[in-house]
């Protein structure tokens, strides 16, 4: 109807309707009285529409299966520190990702397996027998049905996720809602264990390879040392220190040889200058005392007697005899002292000569050993370049093997505490009231809607 069209209206007592009814412009309004008369005129039609609609809704509500709703709340544990803007944004993404995991088909299949839903008559109209194996197609079909029953909704500014499950069985709805968090933990652990197992197997293969390489490198070092007769430390500071020690010992032995030779030469001269003036013996001392006594006795007798007196003659004879014995004993003592001095000189000279010969032999042997070591040191120094390269290769292989072995042990013993974990903080209780059907609400809505529809029609 355009802006300038008009509808001609008839008096209220007449029954003609249709195109003949016109309004005199858009500003014309029905009065309440006119509206009431129109409703009264078509009250049967309006009553029929309302009654049929309400009856249909009541029948549908009474015949519908009751649906119960169970709601579980899961908290996402985040190990990052809070308060930093980029961390907060990342945590929001993690919560969203965790909600995506709760809404994934793989988790739905895991819940189906954990609760054995294909065998549960509360879940499906055609449950499988307990002895019948569950084929993958049954699992996939049950997971699709479960996903249609479940709604996962994360909170906007928090770390909580709400899991809502609708089912005709209130107990089953509660069980399914509460099973999501444990099933996700199990699925995450299985995935982590599988991934860890792959990493451990790779590390073990790498460790075995590195162990073989390290053994070969160390064997190459040992073979090179054995081939070139290079002990540990050969060609380095140890060789130089050993050479210096042997050189010092050789010089000391040479000096000792010269000293012992000079000592052997000087022993004879020293013994020639040795005096025997102090030589004595017990018999000589006794005879000397006897001579002194006889001299005193002669002096005493000469005072009383003359020189020709027999007593004086007798003492004189004893004095002469004793003096002869003393001279003879002195000669014997000097001869014995000279013999002892000669023996001592011969012994000292022999010892000096022997020590000089030993020092000479030691000096020669040390000098020969020193010359051999100097030649070997030069040879070792030339071989140190190749030996150092081999030792570096062996050390690098050894360090790589140790690092890989340590990493393998850490991976095997790690608990993987980092990351995202979900805990069921508010388990779903068994609902007592169904969410549908709602006869009262549905009847009221049907009544209001059918009444409005009838009014529009008339």
């Amino acid at each position: 109807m355009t802006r300038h069209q008009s509808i001609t209206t008839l008096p209220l007592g007449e029954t003609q309707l249709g195109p003949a009814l016109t309004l005199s412009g858009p500003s014309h309004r029905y009065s309440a009285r006119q509206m009431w008369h129109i409703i009264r005129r078509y009250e049967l039609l309006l009553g029929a529409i309302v009654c049929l609609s309400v009856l249909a809704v009541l029948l549908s509500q009474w015949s519908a299966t009751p649906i119960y709703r169970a709601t579980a709340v899961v908290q996402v544990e985040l190990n990052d520190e809070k308060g930093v803007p980029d961390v907060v944004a990342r945590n929001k993404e993690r919560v969203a990702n965790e909600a995506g995991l709760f809404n994934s088909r793989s988790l739905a299949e895991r819940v189906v397996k954990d609760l054995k839903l294909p065998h549960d008559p509360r879940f499906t109209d055609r449950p499988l027998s307990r002895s019948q194996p569950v084929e993958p197609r049954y699992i996939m079909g049950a997971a699709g049905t479960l996903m249609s029953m479940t709604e996962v909704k994360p909170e906007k500014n928090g770390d909580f996720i709400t899991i809502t499950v609708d089912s005709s069985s209130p107990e089953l709805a509660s069980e399914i809602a509460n099973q999501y968090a444990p099933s996700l933990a199990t699925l995450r652990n299985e995935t982590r264990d599988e991934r860890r197992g792959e990493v451990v197997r790779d590390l073990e293969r790498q460790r075995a390879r590195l162990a073989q390489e390290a053994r070969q490198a160390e064997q190459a070092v040992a073979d090179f040392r054995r081939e070139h007769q290079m002990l540990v430390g050969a060609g380095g500071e140890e060789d130089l220190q050993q050479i210096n020690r042997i050189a010092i010992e050789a010089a000391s032995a040479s000096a000792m040889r010269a000293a012992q030779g000079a000592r052997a030469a000087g022993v004879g001269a020293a013994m020639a200058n040795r005096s025997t003036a102090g030589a004595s013996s017990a018999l000589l001392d006794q005879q000397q005392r006897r001579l002194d006594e006889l001299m005193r006795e002669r002096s005493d007798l000469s005072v009383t007697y003359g020189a020709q007196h027999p007593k004086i003659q007798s003492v004189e004879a004893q004095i002469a005899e004793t003096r002869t014995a003393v001279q003879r004993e002195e000669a014997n003592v000097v001869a014995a002292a000279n013999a002892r001095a000669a023996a001592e000189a011969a012994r000292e000279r022999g010892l000096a000569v022997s020590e000089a010969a030993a020092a000479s032999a030691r000096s020669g042997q040390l000098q020969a050993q020193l010359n051999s070591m100097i030649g070997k040191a030069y040879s070792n120094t030339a071989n140190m370049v190749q030996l150092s390269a081999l030792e570096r290769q062996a050390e690098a292989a050894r360090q790589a093997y140790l690092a890989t072995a340590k990493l393998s042990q850490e991976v095997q013993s790690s608990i993987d505490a980092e990351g995202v974990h979900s805990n069921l903080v508010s388990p779903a209780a068994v609902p007592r009231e169904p969410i549908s059907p709602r006869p009262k609400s549905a009847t009221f809505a049907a009544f209001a809607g059918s009444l409005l529809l009838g009014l529009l029609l008339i």
Side-chain angles (χ1 to χ4, degrees):
M1 185 181 295
T2 63
R3 184 179 181 85
H4 301 288
Q5 287 177 338
S6 62
I7 301 176
T8 303
T9 60
L10 296 176
L12 292 176
E14 298 182 9
T15 59
Q16 183 180 358
L17 293 174
L21 280 171
T22 59
L23 295 174
S24 60
S27 62
H28 182 78
R29 296 290 187 268
Y30 284 110
S31 65
R33 186 179 180 83
Q34 290 173 329
M35 291 295 297
W36 176 250
H37 281 287
I38 295 175
I39 293 173
R40 288 291 303 273
R41 184 179 302 174
Y42 296 99
E43 61 183 3
L44 294 178
L45 177 61
L46 182 60
I49 292 174
V50 172
C51 291
L52 289 176
S53 299
V54 172
L55 182 60
V57 169
L58 286 175
L59 290 176
S60 64
Q61 291 292 309
W62 286 336
S63 62
T65 302
I67 301 299
Y68 295 87
R69 174 169 292 176
T71 302
V73 179
V74 175
Q75 185 181 18
V76 181
E77 292 185 358
L78 305 173
N79 293 334
D80 290 336
E81 297 180 358
K82 303 272 179 84
V84 183
D86 57 344
V87 173
V88 173
R90 185 165 65 252
N91 287 343
K92 289 182 179 180
E93 293 179 359
R94 289 182 175 181
V95 173
N97 293 336
E98 193 77 356
L101 288 177
F102 277 110
N103 207 21
S104 63
R105 175 173 287 274
S106 59
L107 181 57
E109 293 179 356
R110 185 69 208 186
V111 173
V112 168
K113 293 179 182 178
D114 292 341
L115 293 180
K116 300 179 180 179
L117 295 181
H119 301 284
D120 196 336
R122 298 173 300 175
F123 180 78
T124 178
D125 296 334
R126 293 183 297 177
L128 301 177
S129 62
R130 295 294 178 179
S131 60
Q132 184 177 358
V134 181
E135 299 179 2
R137 59 189 182 93
Y138 293 124
I139 297 294
M140 296 179 63
T145 303
L146 180 61
M147 293 176 67
S148 65
M149 298 166 51
T150 307
E151 180 183 5
V152 178
K153 184 179 180 181
E155 291 190 3
K156 293 183 179 179
N157 297 320
D159 54 358
F160 293 98
I161 298 176
T162 302
I163 301 175
T164 304
V165 178
D166 296 338
S167 175
S168 59
S169 172
E171 294 81 6
L172 181 61
S174 175
E175 292 175 6
I176 293 175
N178 294 331
Q179 184 62 37
Y180 264 85
S183 295
L184 179 59
T186 303
L187 182 63
R188 182 178 282 120
N189 290 334
E190 290 179 353
T191 304
R192 183 186 60 214
D193 293 341
E194 183 179 358
R195 183 169 60 250
R196 181 191 299 170
E198 293 178 357
V199 173
V200 169
R201 286 190 292 271
D202 292 340
L203 288 176
E204 286 297 324
R205 288 193 293 268
Q206 186 176 1
R207 185 183 65 83
R209 179 180 59 81
L210 291 175
Q212 181 66 18
E213 292 179 359
R215 190 190 66 79
Q216 292 177 355
E218 292 176 352
Q219 186 64 40
V221 173
D223 293 342
F224 185 85
R225 286 185 179 277
R226 183 174 62 253
E227 180 181 356
H228 295 85
Q229 297 181 353
M230 295 178 65
L231 300 177
V232 176
E237 295 293 334
E238 292 82 356
D239 275 352
L240 181 59
Q241 294 175 2
Q242 185 71 10
I243 289 173
N244 291 335
R245 285 195 296 268
I246 293 179
I248 292 173
E249 291 183 5
S252 175
S254 179
M256 183 65 70
R257 178 187 59 184
Q260 294 298 333
R263 181 168 173 266
V267 167
M271 294 306 298
N273 295 328
R274 187 171 180 177
S275 174
T276 60
S280 179
S281 67
L283 181 59
L284 180 62
D285 294 338
Q286 182 181 1
Q287 290 177 351
Q288 189 66 41
R289 287 193 299 273
R290 176 63 180 166
L291 180 62
D292 293 339
E293 291 177 357
L294 291 174
M295 293 294 291
R296 284 194 300 274
E297 184 180 357
R298 188 184 64 179
S299 297
D300 294 339
L301 291 177
S302 63
V303 174
T304 306
Y305 302 104
Q308 299 300 321
H309 192 275
K311 288 184 179 181
I312 296 295
Q313 293 294 327
S314 175
V315 170
E316 287 290 344
Q318 291 179 5
I319 289 173
E321 183 180 358
T322 301
R323 183 175 285 118
T324 301
V326 167
Q327 292 175 353
R328 187 169 55 251
E329 185 61 24
E330 286 179 349
N332 293 333
V333 168
V334 170
N338 289 331
R340 285 195 301 271
E344 262 182 57
R347 178 176 174 276
E348 292 292 334
R349 188 167 48 252
L351 290 175
V353 171
S354 175
E355 291 179 0
S360 177
R362 184 168 180 269
S363 175
Q365 186 176 6
L366 289 175
Q367 189 64 40
Q369 186 176 2
L370 178 63
N371 295 334
S372 175
M373 288 192 66
I374 290 175
K376 185 61 178 176
Y378 282 119
S379 175
N380 290 341
T381 302
N383 295 329
M384 277 301 295
V385 177
Q386 186 175 355
L387 179 60
S388 298
L390 292 175
E391 287 181 343
R392 285 194 299 270
Q393 293 177 1
E395 182 64 22
R398 188 182 304 111
Q399 293 299 327
Y401 165 73
L402 293 177
T404 304
K406 182 179 179 181
L407 181 59
S408 177
Q409 293 177 357
E410 290 177 354
V411 171
Q412 289 179 0
S413 61
S414 63
I415 307 178
D416 290 338
E418 299 180 356
V420 181
H421 303 276
S422 299
N423 293 325
L424 185 64
V425 295
S426 179
V430 178
R432 297 183 179 274
E433 296 294 333
I435 60 170
S436 68
R438 297 289 182 89
K440 295 181 180 180
S441 300
T443 302
F444 177 76
F447 175 78
S450 60
L451 181 60
L452 179 60
L453 178 61
L455 292 175
L456 291 176
L457 289 176
I458 66 176

